[in-house]
Amino acid sequence: MNLCVRVILLCVVITFAASDQDQRNSSAYDLGSFDIQRFGLELLLAKLDNIQQTLLEQHQSTRKEIFTALHRLEHAIGHNLTELQERSLMQTTCVTPKPKHPIYSSCKDVPSNVSGVYLIRLNSKRDPIKVFCEQEKFGGGWIVVQHRFDGSVDFYRNWTEYRDGFGDLDKEHWLGLEKMHLISKARAHELIVELKDFSGTYKYARYNAFEVGNESEQYSLKTLGTYSGTAGDSMAGNAGMKFKTMDSTRDRNTVNCAEHHASAWWYNYCTFANLNGRYSRFNNDKSMFWYHFKGNHEGLCFSRMMIRQLN
């Protein structure tokens, strides 16, 4: 600011000096006239000094206001940052980490008598499998491989879906042929089938051995043990049969039993058990039936297949 003012003053002095020289050359001014000019110059210099001082004071005031505002902003930022750090620390210390789910070798080894979804590991080389364990009925320790009770899930599906499984484990579902194979191959298992009709009559069928082959064997029912129970033996004819779905090749008798029964099963031209058929109470070949339950094809309202490790 001082440099600018001094430049202005220098220009004014030079201008007045030049004007004075011209006046001396053209016409002589008297001393009184020069004094008046000098007095005017002094007034001008005084005004410029006042202006400079005012500008300096305003500049200092502005700088003070800026520094004050910056100080307040710095204080606010520091306060907010501290508050955020405290909140983050509280969230970190207050959130409880999710517990790891225990893994068991089978549902039989689950120490709880509460039925639900658990993880089981067949051996150290395989990832754990999620299954629904029935821990209350028939002594507990059962893996549910098929469950139907309200018709909410369509069971007329293709090979891939029956191989991999479908539905929700705690609702209607099919566990999957590949999982059934791995589980039943790893250890000896038994099978129990629970049934109920639309009148509320409950029966069951139990087999003391059960094993499913691998996919190259078309998940055949390799082993089906001796029957016991109240529902009658409607699976004896399925032992040793390959599993069939809607998109499988035809049976040896040229009949596609999966299409005929609108289902999927270990068909043997075709079957007395059709637990994956339509959820219907009608008495026909496409219903979910167990022939020896009443000696007909009347549809059932409930079926559940479960397997359990024998030793």
Side-chain angles (χ1 to χ4, degrees):
M1 184 62 70
N2 290 336
L3 180 60
C4 294
V5 172
R6 292 182 185 280
V7 171
I8 293 172
L9 290 175
L10 180 61
C11 291
V12 172
V13 171
I14 292 173
T15 301
F16 271 91
S19 175
D20 183 58
Q21 186 64 35
D22 291 340
Q23 288 174 358
R24 285 177 182 178
N25 293 335
S26 60
S27 60
Y29 278 92
D30 58 11
L31 184 59
S33 175
F34 179 77
D35 290 340
I36 292 173
Q37 292 174 358
R38 186 174 64 183
F39 179 72
L41 180 59
E42 290 175 353
L43 287 175
L44 178 61
L45 289 173
K47 287 180 178 280
L48 289 174
D49 286 339
N50 290 334
I51 292 171
Q52 179 184 5
Q53 184 64 30
T54 302
L55 290 174
L56 285 173
E57 291 175 355
Q58 291 178 349
H59 180 63
Q60 291 175 353
S61 176
T62 302
R63 289 178 60 189
K64 183 178 180 181
E65 291 176 358
I66 292 174
F67 279 116
T68 301
L70 288 175
H71 178 72
R72 291 176 179 174
L73 179 61
E74 181 182 4
H75 177 74
I77 292 174
H79 175 74
N80 291 337
L81 182 60
T82 302
E83 186 175 349
L84 287 174
Q85 289 174 340
E86 290 176 353
R87 288 182 182 179
S88 177
L89 181 61
M90 288 178 62
Q91 291 176 353
T92 303
T93 55
C94 291
V95 173
T96 303
K98 293 183 178 179
K100 292 184 178 180
H101 295 289
I103 300 175
Y104 305 99
S105 60
S106 71
C107 288
K108 197 172 182 179
D109 293 330
V110 174
S112 172
N113 60 358
V114 177
S115 300
V117 178
Y118 293 90
L119 287 173
I120 63 170
R121 190 193 301 276
L122 304 177
N123 56 59
S124 59
K125 297 180 181 180
R126 295 190 177 275
D127 293 332
I129 299 174
K130 196 177 284 189
V131 299
F132 188 94
C133 295
E134 170 54 54
Q135 298 297 98
E136 301 169 43
K137 298 194 67 175
F138 298 100
W142 297 91
I143 298 173
V144 179
V145 298
Q146 189 257 28
H147 195 190
R148 304 185 71 182
F149 56 90
D150 62 5
S152 59
V153 175
D154 182 9
F155 272 65
Y156 192 35
R157 298 181 179 242
N158 62 31
W159 179 265
T160 301
E161 292 172 296
Y162 267 95
R163 179 192 65 196
D164 300 339
F166 53 86
D168 295 327
L169 292 176
D170 55 351
K171 298 177 182 178
E172 288 200 339
H173 72 277
W174 174 264
L175 181 62
L177 291 165
E178 181 64 21
K179 294 185 181 72
M180 291 185 201
H181 160 65
L182 294 173
I183 294 170
S184 61
K185 179 186 176 183
R187 307 179 190 99
H189 280 72
E190 60 180 320
L191 167 71
I192 194 164
V193 181
E194 293 186 289
L195 306 163
K196 187 187 296 184
D197 66 11
F198 282 88
S199 299
T201 302
Y202 170 88
K203 297 181 180 181
Y204 73 93
R206 191 167 185 169
Y207 299 87
N208 63 5
F210 176 83
E211 183 182 348
V212 174
N214 59 33
E215 188 170 16
S216 65
E217 298 170 315
Q218 293 184 258
Y219 298 116
S220 61
L221 187 54
K222 295 183 71 171
T223 303
L224 184 68
T226 303
Y227 161 83
S228 64
T230 59
D233 186 3
S234 292
M235 280 191 71
N238 303 119
M241 295 297 104
K242 297 175 181 179
F243 198 84
K244 298 290 184 180
T245 61
M246 63 167 75
D247 53 346
S248 299
T249 56
R250 291 184 178 274
D251 292 324
R252 59 187 178 183
N253 293 292
T254 71
V255 175
N256 190 328
C257 291
E259 287 184 357
H260 178 74
H261 289 290
S263 179
W265 198 250
W266 294 276
Y267 290 117
N268 180 18
Y269 191 65
C270 278
T271 185
F272 285 111
N274 192 46
L275 298 186
N276 293 327
R278 292 176 181 170
Y279 191 84
S280 166
R281 67 186 308 161
F282 295 122
N283 187 351
N284 60 48
D285 290 343
K286 298 186 186 304
S287 295
M288 179 177 74
F289 63 80
W290 186 272
Y291 183 82
H292 292 92
F293 192 96
K294 284 186 177 180
N296 58 30
H297 295 152
E298 183 179 325
L300 302 170
C301 74
F302 174 90
S303 74
R304 185 164 68 162
M305 299 174 61
M306 303 186 295
I307 59 177
R308 181 171 65 179
Q309 180 181 329
L310 288 172
N311 48 42

